[in-house]
Amino acid sequence: MKIRFLPVSLFSVLLCAGCGKKDAAPAASAAAPAPAASAAPAAAAPAAARVVEITANDQMKFSVATIEAKVGEEIKVVLKNVGSAPKVAMGHNWVLLKAGSDPVTFGAAAGTAAATEYIPAALKDQVIAHTRVLGPGESHEVTVRLSAAGEYPFLCSFPGHFALMKGTLTVK
Ligand code: CO
């Protein structure tokens, strides 16, 4: 039977490997940065609605025909009538319809709805939001937030305007 000798001297070297370095650990912990309490994000603050400005003019044109938004994003649509023609002849509004609504059908029906700001009672359930009818120099705004993706048509429902004054709000 063979007796194996442990290399005692080697063990001693290993055990003493940490000797003489007492100051290393305390120095490291003291240098650790203090917890950054101020780093707590201020993300709780609600984001302000994104403003989408649209002008309408005497040539029956919206300055914006396409709007894109994210699902759940709040957007504030500000309509400004920058024309000079009288309101009775060239009024403008901005009417947002539910996805799948037909703006041509709506616009045609709106023509005789002067008493209700050109929002026809029979198709009122298709309307998500709308501004007032604006005369020259006037502005009005509406805020919308759509919770479903889709293509939402918008138009000016003043008589005869829907053919030219229309667009799409795309929510993704
Ligand atoms: Co118009």
Coordinates of all heavy atoms in Angstrom, one line a residue, residues 56 60 62 90-93 156-158 161 165, ligand 1:
A56 N -58.9 74.6 -43.3 CA -59.9 74.4 -44.4 C -60.0 75.8 -45.1 O -59.9 76.8 -44.4 CB -61.2 74.0 -43.8
M60 N -62.3 74.6 -50.7 CA -62.9 73.4 -50.3 C -61.8 72.3 -50.1 O -61.9 71.2 -50.7 CB -64.0 72.8 -51.2 CG -65.3 73.6 -51.1 SD -66.6 72.7 -51.9 CE -66.3 73.0 -53.6
F62 N -59.0 70.5 -47.3 CA -58.4 70.3 -46.0 C -56.9 70.3 -46.2 O -56.4 69.8 -47.3 CB -58.8 68.9 -45.4 CG -60.1 68.9 -44.7 CD1 -60.9 67.7 -44.8 CD2 -60.5 69.9 -43.8 CE1 -62.1 67.6 -44.2 CE2 -61.7 69.8 -43.2 CZ -62.5 68.7 -43.3
M90 N -69.7 78.9 -47.3 CA -68.4 78.1 -47.3 C -68.0 77.7 -45.8 O -66.9 78.0 -45.4 CB -67.3 78.9 -47.9 CG -66.0 78.2 -48.2 SD -66.1 76.7 -49.2 CE -66.5 77.4 -50.8
G91 N -69.0 77.1 -45.1 CA -68.7 76.7 -43.8 C -67.9 75.4 -43.8 O -67.9 74.6 -44.8
H92 N -67.1 75.1 -42.8 CA -66.4 73.8 -42.7 C -66.5 73.2 -41.4 O -66.5 73.9 -40.3 CB -64.9 74.1 -43.0 CG -64.6 74.7 -44.4 ND1 -64.9 74.0 -45.6 CD2 -64.1 75.9 -44.7 CE1 -64.6 74.8 -46.6 NE2 -64.1 75.9 -46.1
N93 N -66.6 71.9 -41.3 CA -66.4 71.2 -40.1 C -65.5 70.0 -40.3 O -65.0 69.8 -41.4 CB -67.8 70.8 -39.5 CG -68.5 69.8 -40.4 OD1 -68.0 69.4 -41.5 ND2 -69.7 69.4 -40.0
C156 N -65.7 66.9 -44.3 CA -66.4 68.1 -44.0 C -67.8 67.8 -44.5 O -68.0 67.4 -45.7 CB -65.8 69.3 -44.7 SG -66.9 70.8 -44.6
S157 N -68.8 67.9 -43.6 CA -70.2 67.5 -44.0 C -71.0 68.7 -44.5 O -72.2 68.6 -44.6 CB -70.9 66.8 -42.9 OG -71.1 67.6 -41.8
F158 N -70.4 69.9 -44.6 CA -71.1 71.0 -45.2 C -71.6 70.6 -46.6 O -70.8 69.9 -47.3 CB -70.2 72.3 -45.3 CG -70.9 73.6 -45.5 CD1 -71.4 74.3 -44.5 CD2 -71.0 74.1 -46.8 CE1 -72.1 75.5 -44.7 CE2 -71.6 75.3 -47.1 CZ -72.2 76.0 -46.0
H161 N -69.4 69.5 -49.9 CA -68.0 69.5 -49.6 C -67.3 68.1 -49.5 O -66.1 67.9 -49.6 CB -67.7 70.3 -48.3 CG -67.9 71.7 -48.5 ND1 -67.3 72.7 -47.6 CD2 -68.6 72.5 -49.4 CE1 -67.7 73.9 -48.0 NE2 -68.4 73.8 -49.1
M165 N -63.5 67.4 -49.5 CA -62.9 67.6 -48.2 C -63.1 66.3 -47.4 O -64.1 66.0 -46.7 CB -63.6 68.7 -47.5 CG -63.5 70.0 -48.2 SD -64.1 71.5 -47.3 CE -62.8 71.7 -46.1
Ligands
CO1 CO -66.1 72.3 -46.0

